[in-house]
Amino acid sequence: TYGTDTARLWPVDAMIATSGAVRIDGSRQGTLAAYIDGRVELMFADYTGVAVRQGDHLAVVYSPQLYTAQVEYLESANTLAKMSSGALAVARSLHEKLVANSRQKLIELGMTEDQLKTLEKSGKAESRLTIYAAIGGTVIQKLAEEGKFISAGEPIYRIANLSTVWLMLELYPEEASKIRFGQHVEAQFQSIPGEKLTGRVAFI
């Protein structure tokens, strides 16, 4: 006896047991570096694995170079403020450019707008600069130590946002033939039994 039934679309699951590794998404990590030559006096994230938020203070660097640049800026700004309204327009314009260039130099040395506003309000140069986290995430590398002298551009921390990571799998050809770009995947790990992570295939 033969019968009929309605054809239906139905999800088909396949389980593959394989070896692999979790990798950090390179587009979601950044390096916190010094913009100045100086000595690291304080490091607030003591070890790798520390979670930080964007804007958290992570290090304090002592730098005579920074102090000198701040003094130059304050002196040029004070001179401009004292110039009389009858001063030559050319002289005033040149001095305004000098002040703007001095301020830009401080930005290039790593000072934030808030730090510049504090400097302008206090009128007092500081030889120590607090460095803040440019991104939130997890400290995956601590690349300096307190008391260490560092050069401009030298990394202090490496931070990664681990909310999304890569799962790199090794598949046999017969297993790889079942995988398609964009396919939904659920992954289970021996290291975290009972928990599933979800994602989609982005590259084969």
Side-chain angles (χ1 to χ4, degrees):
T1 303
Y2 298 95
T4 61
D5 197 1
T6 304
R8 292 174 295 167
L9 288 174
W10 197 259
V12 177
D13 296 330
M15 182 173 289
I16 299 173
T18 184
S19 60
V22 175
R23 296 280 184 263
I24 294 169
D25 183 349
S27 66
R28 294 172 177 263
Q29 64 176 310
T31 300
L32 181 76
Y35 289 84
I36 50 177
D37 299 335
R39 183 180 70 243
V40 179
E41 289 201 340
L42 288 172
M43 297 185 72
F44 297 102
D46 296 329
Y47 52 89
T48 58
V50 174
V52 298
R53 293 173 298 180
Q54 184 178 6
D56 280 356
H57 50 273
L58 288 183
V60 174
V61 177
Y62 166 77
S63 172
Q65 175 191 10
L66 177 69
Y67 181 82
T68 301
Q70 288 182 20
V71 169
E72 289 175 357
Y73 171 62
L74 291 173
E75 288 180 348
S76 61
N78 287 335
T79 301
L80 178 62
K82 291 176 182 177
M83 292 182 74
S84 65
S85 57
L88 289 175
V90 173
R92 188 173 187 85
S93 176
L94 288 174
H95 216 82
E96 286 174 348
K97 289 180 181 178
L98 177 62
V99 172
N101 290 339
S102 297
R103 195 177 194 278
Q104 181 61 33
K105 182 179 180 181
L106 292 176
I107 293 174
E108 292 172 358
L109 289 175
M111 290 190 71
T112 65
E113 281 295 329
D114 286 343
Q115 289 171 325
L116 282 167
K117 288 176 183 177
T118 299
L119 172 65
E120 292 161 353
K121 185 176 180 179
S122 68
K124 182 181 178 182
E126 299 286 347
S127 58
R128 288 162 179 81
L129 177 68
T130 300
I131 301 178
Y132 299 91
I135 62 170
T138 301
V139 174
I140 57 173
Q141 277 187 295
K142 181 183 175 185
L143 301 166
E145 300 291 340
E146 289 183 2
K148 179 184 178 182
F149 284 88
I150 56 175
S151 301
E154 191 170 343
I156 300 175
Y157 292 107
R158 188 159 286 119
I159 300 171
N161 183 331
L162 302 179
S163 60
T164 300
V165 294
W166 288 98
L167 178 58
M168 313 294 290
L169 300 177
E170 297 180 2
L171 301 175
Y172 291 108
E174 59 270 23
E175 295 171 338
S177 65
K178 303 174 185 177
I179 306 299
R180 297 290 183 272
F181 175 81
Q183 192 170 352
H184 179 79
V185 175
E186 290 185 349
Q188 293 178 286
F189 300 83
Q190 290 181 342
S191 58
I192 45 174
E195 187 171 340
K196 291 182 180 180
L197 300 183
T198 60
R200 290 192 179 276
V201 177
F203 182 79
I204 302 174

